[in-house]
Amino acid sequence: MTTTGTKPAGAKDEASAAKAVQQMFDSIAPRYDLLNHVLSANVDRLWWWRAARRFRAVLADPDAAILDICCGTGDMTMALLKRRPRGARPIVAADFSHEMLARGAKKFGAPGVGARAAGEPYAMPLEADALHLPIESASLDLVISAFGFRNLANYEAGLREFHRVLKQGGQLGILDFSEPGGLLGKAYAVYFRRVLPAIGRAIGGKAGPYNYLPASVGNFPPPAEMLALMRGAGYAEAVWQPYTFGIAGLYTGARAL
Ligand SMILES: C[S@@+](CC[C@H](N)C(=O)[O-])C[C@H]1O[C@@H](n2cnc3c(N)ncnc32)[C@H](O)[C@@H]1O
């Protein structure tokens, strides 16, 4: 299988693809939350909630070491925090877009940094690249990524890096879009490829990011291929749970060795 990763228009190699993604998220950060909720009709909240519920056992453990990678403006992190007990070890919430992370930190950061009240569980913001995490090997119980993994310049390298930082038996969750099949898939493709970029342009004022979104989903490996990548990278029990007719879905697996 050849190496796969996102390919933003004009990017020549992995370094320029990553740079283009980072700059794009920095530029849309001020309107990201609004656009997300409008474009998904708020279904994104249900997806974050479902993904967090899947990991409720590890989230309930106050000592669990958890990374939300590609946390962006922090809505996945907030869904995870709802399931953390008071006084729990902080979640590490990481992203390489300074502008996205700064907005996230205002929500999930420690009291005095973010909007968390004293004693409430919180997350520590970390500006970092998912492919080169400044995190000790075999140190995490859970790595989760919502709508971020698809944007990595090299999916195999991402899976390997998450595998490196997970403890043996540690769990991985990747929530991302996919392209549903059948009639519904055709109708959805019209929305996703034509209507959504037009709304994105109208609210966001830029065409690029909202053309990039459907293109990046089209380029993302379908579930069977993605599961094969996960197994090849050393994850056991790799499964995909479709959400909302397969518009999105959650990949899960556990570090085998
Ligand atoms: C679509 S947003 C998702 C944000 C959030 N997880 C959510 O569910 O709303 C994708 C995020 O992934 C981040 N990202 C993409 N590639 C990354 C990389 N290599 N390292 C760290 N963050 C990355 C982007 O900066 C962006 O904030």
Side-chain angles (χ1 to χ4, degrees), residues 18 21-22 25-26 32-33 36 48 68-77 94-98 100-101 128-131 145-153 175 213:
V21 167
Q22 188 183 30
F25 280 104
D26 271 340
Y32 177 83
D33 282 356
N36 237 5
W48 291 314
D68 178 10
I69 180 66
C70 303
C71 68
T73 56
D75 285 346
M76 180 74 246
T77 321
D95 201 287
F96 73 175
S97 159
H98 179 82
M100 293 287 280
L101 187 63
D129 184 343
L131 301 185
S145 179
F147 306 106
F149 186 83
R150 172 178 34 87
N151 301 295
L152 300 188
L175 172 62
L213 176 59

Side-chain angles (χ1 to χ4, degrees), residues 191-215:
Y191 168 73
F192 207 57
R193 292 182 182 279
R194 296 189 187 281
V195 181
L196 180 146
I199 302 174
R201 268 194 306 278
I203 303 182
K206 292 188 181 84
Y210 304 98
N211 292 332
Y212 167 77
L213 176 59

Side-chain angles (χ1 to χ4, degrees), residues 59-227:
L59 290 165
D61 173 359
D63 298 323
I66 298 167
L67 169 68
D68 178 10
I69 180 66
C70 303
C71 68
T73 56
D75 285 346
M76 180 74 246
T77 321
M78 295 301 282
L80 299 171
L81 285 175
K82 286 205 177 96
R83 292 178 180 272
R84 295 291 280 156
R86 285 178 82 79
R89 182 175 180 162
I91 289 173
V92 176
D95 201 287
F96 73 175
S97 159
H98 179 82
E99 296 301 326
M100 293 287 280
L101 187 63
R103 284 163 177 83
K106 283 192 186 142
K107 301 180 195 170
F108 56 59
V113 178
R116 312 298 288 165
E120 270 190 320
Y122 64 92
M124 285 189 323
L126 172 69
E127 202 168 316
D129 184 343
L131 301 185
H132 307 281
L133 292 168
I135 293 178
E136 213 179 300
S137 298
S139 61
L140 300 179
D141 297 286
L142 171 65
V143 173
I144 190 160
S145 179
F147 306 106
F149 186 83
R150 172 178 34 87
N151 301 295
L152 300 188
N154 184 323
Y155 301 140
E156 289 93 334
L159 289 171
R160 280 197 302 272
E161 184 63 349
F162 302 160
H163 187 275
R164 180 186 70 77
V165 295
L166 280 170
K167 296 176 185 168
Q168 194 176 342
Q171 299 181 68
L172 173 67
I174 295 175
L175 172 62
D176 223 311
F177 289 112
S178 71
E179 295 193 307
L183 262 185
L184 176 91
K186 289 206 174 93
Y188 184 68
V190 173
Y191 168 73
F192 207 57
R193 292 182 182 279
R194 296 189 187 281
V195 181
L196 180 146
I199 302 174
R201 268 194 306 278
I203 303 182
K206 292 188 181 84
Y210 304 98
N211 292 332
Y212 167 77
L213 176 59
S216 68
V217 176
N219 174 61
F220 193 52
E225 260 179 55
M226 180 63 191
L227 291 172

